[in-house]
Amino acid sequence: MRRPGSLRDVERRGPPDRYLPRVRKLLYTGKGGVGKTTTSAATAAWAVARARANGHKDFRALVASADAAHSLGDVLGRDRLGPVPVEVAPGLDAVEIDPRVELERRWGRIHGYLVSLLRHQGIEEMVADELALLPGAEEITTLLAARGMANEGAYDLIVVDCAPTGSALRLLTAPDVVRSAARWLLRLQRGVAAIATPLARNLVAIPLPEAAVFREAEHLLYSELDGLRSWLTESDAHVRLVATPERIAVEEALRAHTDLALFGLACDVVIANRVLPPDAAREPFFHDAARRQAETLDVLRDAVAPVPLLLAALGEDEVIGIEALTAHGAELFGVERPDAILCHQPGLRFEATARGARVHLPLPHVAPGDLDVVKLDAELLLRTPTRRRALPLPRHLASYELTRALLRDGELRVDLERQPGATR
Ligand SMILES: Nc1ncnc2c1ncn2[C@@H]1O[C@H](COP(=O)(O)OP(=O)(O)OP(=O)(O)O)[C@@H](O)[C@H]1O
Ligand SMILES: [Mg+2]
């Protein structure tokens, strides 16, 4: 059950069409071992402690692990966490999402159909069962579970501790990627179904999907995936990148920054964790290490600006348990609210021009030679060295011609022009 919107919600969230309480969404990722789980739990624990100390006694947060190699329970100093949120401190719940728990409920019919198709090809049931897990199914289910918990639990904040960068990007881009792939599949399947399924069933030697499979696929496609995509790209959702002050971790964070931007996912802060504290840096033994760290941090700060870089010092001990995490969060965020939007940046936008339209897409850290831009009907196909995305355009731009693509100041600008004689 959703908690009714309090006056605080109304004041904070402004105009009438946004009266429904919204959940602030933060998703952390970065290279393996840099401190993602620690930072996620510290953000949530400090957000609750700070809000409650400032009079918001009903402030509640959920910290959710979306990393299959869960370690959130260890970081919180608890034996076990499960797939259902439990309270770990007043106002703070924690959960380790298990996509397989919900997979059956959400993908049951589609999965069943694919299993029957594979079994028909002579594939053993157990193998067919695994193969029929559509690419992206686990990622989508994980996101659906996080969104469901965030809404049903009436939280003010959800912090998602994602897996290391590669898997996290698969998770965060799944609504977009699966939607593109599934749209083609559905078009193809509709073509087959148009032969009239009952008749075709007798003529075609493969099992054809029941109408319910189409209905389920369509629901997933048009409602769930779009819903998830907007959940992740709403103005109160941000991905935060964690890196240690080492070149490899920083390079991975910058690549992730580009990839996130390509898919319209905003980043409002970058965190450098395990920075040598000033006392240690003054020790002769650490001089060189401290100098290298300072140089790496300068590179990172310049590269991500105007997104702020926050620093967390290397502690003497591991950061485990609510108390240590709360103190870690307080030190990391200083005077800032940990759940505030720490950087506002415009996302994808379309601008009308005299001859047509200009598309603006933030795309940091990309060299012009590393980007391909092609227009196909109502989509822009964008390709960086690591990823590609089919960016849907407003329908009326389908007939426009791509005349220029330019990368400037971390932004891609694409000019689309009306063809002479074409009508809008
Ligand atoms: N600033 C810090 N000072 C001291 N210890 C830290 C700090 N940040 C993290 N640690 C410790 O480093 C270890 C790894 O941290 P954590 O589990 O948060 O990393 P992770 O990025 O989530 O790792 P994985 O990629 O395996 O999920 C933990 O033991 C944690 O307590
Ligand atoms: Mg972790």
Side-chain angles (χ1 to χ4, degrees):
M1 269 288 291
R2 205 173 237 290
R3 192 176 46 173
S6 62
L7 184 60
R8 182 164 59 84
D9 290 315
V10 174
E11 282 168 1
R12 193 176 56 195
R13 286 160 178 132
D17 59 343
R18 296 188 63 196
Y19 270 13
L20 263 187
R22 294 255 302 253
V23 189
R24 172 79 169 117
K25 292 150 280 188
L26 299 175
L27 304 104
Y28 280 95
T29 187
K31 192 174 172 325
V34 293
K36 300 176 290 297
T37 308
T38 306
T39 313
S40 302
T43 303
W46 172 231
V48 171
R50 190 184 186 282
R52 293 194 163 211
N54 283 324
H56 301 297
K57 299 284 180 217
D58 57 349
F59 189 98
R60 294 178 65 238
L62 173 69
V63 53
S65 165
D67 182 356
H70 297 297
S71 67
L72 181 60
D74 302 337
V75 166
L76 290 166
R78 312 249 321 178
D79 279 349
R80 280 188 63 114
L81 288 175
V84 177
V86 288
E87 189 168 76
V88 292
L92 177 62
D93 289 2
V95 66
E96 290 178 344
I97 296 171
D98 182 348
R100 297 210 172 210
V101 166
E102 298 210 36
L103 213 58
E104 181 55 32
R105 184 164 74 82
R106 297 184 190 270
W107 295 72
R109 278 208 194 82
I110 303 173
H111 183 250
Y113 165 64
L114 291 174
V115 171
S116 71
L117 199 65
L118 291 164
R119 296 230 43 211
H120 187 82
Q121 308 294 314
I123 292 171
E124 219 179 286
E125 176 142 16
M126 260 174 64
V127 179
D129 203 55
E130 279 296 310
L131 283 178
L133 278 181
L134 296 171
E138 288 206 3
E139 283 83 1
I140 296 295
T141 320
T142 301
L143 289 174
L144 286 171
R147 187 185 61 173
M149 287 173 201
N151 291 339
E152 284 153 24
Y155 297 102
D156 296 279
L157 165 70
I158 176 171
V159 182
V160 184
D161 169 31
C162 300
T165 329
S167 313
L169 284 164
R170 266 200 303 285
L171 175 82
L172 299 173
T173 59
D176 206 280
V177 172
V178 173
R179 193 182 196 284
S180 298
R183 229 181 27 211
W184 285 103
L185 246 175
L186 213 66
R187 248 182 239 168
L188 267 176
Q189 287 202 323
R190 269 211 211 93
V192 176
I195 319 170
T197 308
L199 176 64
R201 216 179 277 288
N202 297 326
L203 302 175
V204 183
I206 57 164
L208 284 168
E210 308 276 347
V213 174
F214 281 125
R215 276 201 303 276
E216 203 163 285
E218 270 179 328
H219 172 67
L220 182 76
L221 197 53
Y222 293 116
S223 160
E224 300 279 48
L225 291 184
D226 280 352
L228 274 184
R229 201 173 145 67
S230 23
W231 194 69
L232 288 172
T233 51
E234 274 163 5
S235 56
D236 54 7
H238 287 93
V239 183
R240 292 179 171 182
L241 295 166
V242 185
T244 44
E246 288 146 346
R247 263 199 15 231
I248 294 181
V250 164
E251 279 165 13
E252 189 161 322
L254 294 182
R255 273 198 302 275
H257 196 201
T258 307
D259 291 346
L260 292 169
L262 181 65
F263 284 85
L265 299 157
C267 170
D268 74 332
V269 67
V270 175
I271 287 160
N273 187 31
R274 290 220 198 90
V275 177
L276 276 175
D279 282 353
R282 276 192 288 272
E283 297 280 330
F285 182 78
F286 289 118
H287 269 170
D288 280 352
R291 185 183 41 77
R292 272 200 309 275
Q293 281 204 353
E295 284 168 10
T296 311
L297 288 173
D298 284 345
V299 169
L300 180 59
R301 191 178 292 107
D302 285 353
V304 299
V307 176
L309 176 71
L310 294 184
L311 309 185
L314 171 70
E316 283 176 14
D317 204 355
E318 287 186 300
V319 192
I320 293 176
I322 299 290
E323 207 178 314
L325 289 164
T326 309
H328 185 78
E331 206 185 307
L332 169 63
F333 289 100
V335 294
E336 302 287 0
R337 258 181 65 173
D339 54 332
I341 296 177
L342 295 173
C343 179
H344 285 276
Q345 277 196 293
L348 168 72
R349 64 195 170 86
F350 298 94
E351 178 196 359
T353 58
R355 298 164 148 235
R358 177 172 287 174
V359 185
H360 297 258
L361 179 75
L363 206 54
H365 330 299
V366 180
D370 282 342
L371 180 71
D372 280 339
V373 185
V374 175
K375 183 171 176 293
L376 194 67
D377 294 334
E379 283 181 343
L380 271 189
L381 306 181
L382 308 173
R383 194 162 64 186
T384 68
T386 47
R387 273 176 203 266
R388 62 180 69 191
R389 179 183 182 201
L391 174 74
L393 296 171
R395 204 55 245 169
H396 74 272
L397 298 179
S399 63
Y400 285 35
E401 192 183 346
L402 190 162
T403 52
R404 198 166 71 131
L406 185 76
L407 267 171
R408 180 162 295 165
D409 303 328
E411 185 187 75
L412 169 68
R413 287 172 212 168
V414 181
D415 286 335
L416 303 172
E417 290 187 8
R418 249 171 262 122
Q419 308 261 19
T423 51
R424 270 196 59 166

